[in-house]
Amino acid sequence: MKKIFSVAALAIILSACSNNAKQEAMIKQQAIVAVKDSLRLDSFKRADAREKERLAIVKEEKAKQEKRTLLLAERNEAADRSNRNTAVNEAPAPAKKKGWSQAAKGAVIGAGAGALGGILIDKKDGRGAIIGGVVGAGTGYVIGRAQDRKSGRVQPKN
């Protein structure tokens, strides 16, 4: 900024000493161009400084995140080691069962049985089949869900 003002002051002094209007206009224009150039340069410097600050913050955040990740990995490894020591004495956990649950099987069987019973009891346009199927599916689901709880497939209610 000192250079800008010194160039502007020099231009004003020279223009005051000179009687030629063209030289005055040229000197003023050069001073204005120099001021604008220095302002642009200054704004570029400020933008570069902001960018460097932003990059420094990003680097710090990455370093913190990596440190957290390493700490969590170390904790997990320590927990795994302690679990391995205790897991040797324990029996292996049973694998999860695949296929239909007892609740699903009960719902399907109950729906079929209820629909058949509904047709036999009420012979009007399938109304009995629909009602019987819904009631049978609900009952079969409840019974199958209880069996799933006993077998351990579903956690019992607390």
Side-chain angles (χ1 to χ4, degrees):
M1 290 300 282
K2 290 180 181 179
K3 290 180 182 180
I4 296 169
F5 289 107
S6 62
V7 170
L10 182 63
I12 292 171
I13 292 172
L14 290 176
S15 66
C17 296
S18 158
N19 290 333
N20 195 347
K22 286 185 178 181
Q23 285 182 343
E24 288 178 21
M26 185 181 277
I27 292 172
K28 284 182 183 178
Q29 192 169 6
Q30 287 176 352
I32 291 172
V33 169
V35 169
K36 286 182 180 179
D37 287 344
S38 66
L39 288 176
R40 284 188 200 132
L41 183 62
D42 187 42
S43 65
F44 284 127
K45 287 180 183 177
R46 280 187 266 142
D48 287 342
R50 278 191 229 123
E51 183 67 19
K52 286 179 184 177
E53 288 175 10
R54 189 186 66 78
L55 289 175
I57 292 170
V58 169
K59 285 181 183 179
E60 288 176 13
E61 290 296 324
K62 283 183 180 180
K64 287 180 184 177
Q65 185 64 28
E66 288 176 2
K67 189 174 181 180
R68 283 186 207 133
T69 305
L70 289 175
L71 288 173
L72 289 175
E74 289 174 1
R75 286 182 187 169
N76 289 340
E77 287 176 10
D80 287 344
R81 279 189 233 129
S82 66
N83 286 340
R84 285 183 203 148
N85 294 338
T86 58
V88 171
N89 299 332
E90 297 175 5
K96 286 201 170 197
K97 295 179 181 178
K98 294 184 180 177
W100 283 40
S101 67
Q102 293 295 321
K105 288 179 189 176
V108 170
I109 293 170
L116 184 62
I119 289 174
L120 294 176
I121 294 172
D122 186 14
K123 297 182 180 183
K124 292 188 178 179
D125 297 328
R127 179 179 66 179
I130 293 171
I131 294 171
V134 169
V135 171
T139 305
Y141 175 79
V142 169
I143 293 169
R145 184 77 173 184
Q147 290 175 350
D148 281 341
R149 285 195 186 109
K150 286 180 185 175
S151 69
R153 184 174 184 129
V154 176
Q155 297 297 323
K157 289 183 180 179
N158 292 329

